[in-house]
């Protein structure tokens, strides 16, 4: 099945929305459990403490 440009754009919007929601939930959980997150920023791996989230 070939998708139209509109369908592809809608699917991409939903994927982006899901990724943002997952990020928000991860940050909330880290704050709640007082955990740090490890992220890559500018090609460098960094640990961010919960109080800085």
């Amino acid at each position: 099945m070939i998708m139209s440009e509109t369908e592809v754009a809608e699917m991409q919007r939903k994927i982006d929305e899901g990724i943002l929601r997952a990020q928000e939930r991860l940050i909330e959980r880290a704050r709640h459990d007082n955990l740090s997150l490890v992220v890559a920023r500018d090609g460098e791996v960094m640990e961010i403490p919960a109080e800085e989230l």
Side-chain angles (χ1 to χ4, degrees):
M1 179 175 136
I2 297 176
M3 296 172 62
S4 70
E5 287 185 37
T6 303
E7 291 170 320
V8 171
E10 179 63 16
M11 182 175 286
Q12 185 62 55
R13 185 192 65 74
K14 288 179 180 181
I15 291 168
D16 292 343
E17 183 178 304
I19 291 170
L20 288 175
R21 288 179 66 191
Q23 277 182 308
E24 291 167 356
R25 289 177 181 167
L26 181 63
I27 291 169
E28 286 174 18
R29 185 173 182 182
R31 284 181 181 151
H32 179 267
D33 295 341
N34 197 33
L35 300 171
S36 54
L37 292 180
V38 177
V39 300
R41 192 177 280 171
D42 297 324
E44 185 177 333
V45 177
M46 305 176 71
E47 185 173 355
I48 303 173
E51 60 270 6
E52 292 181 22
L53 297 172

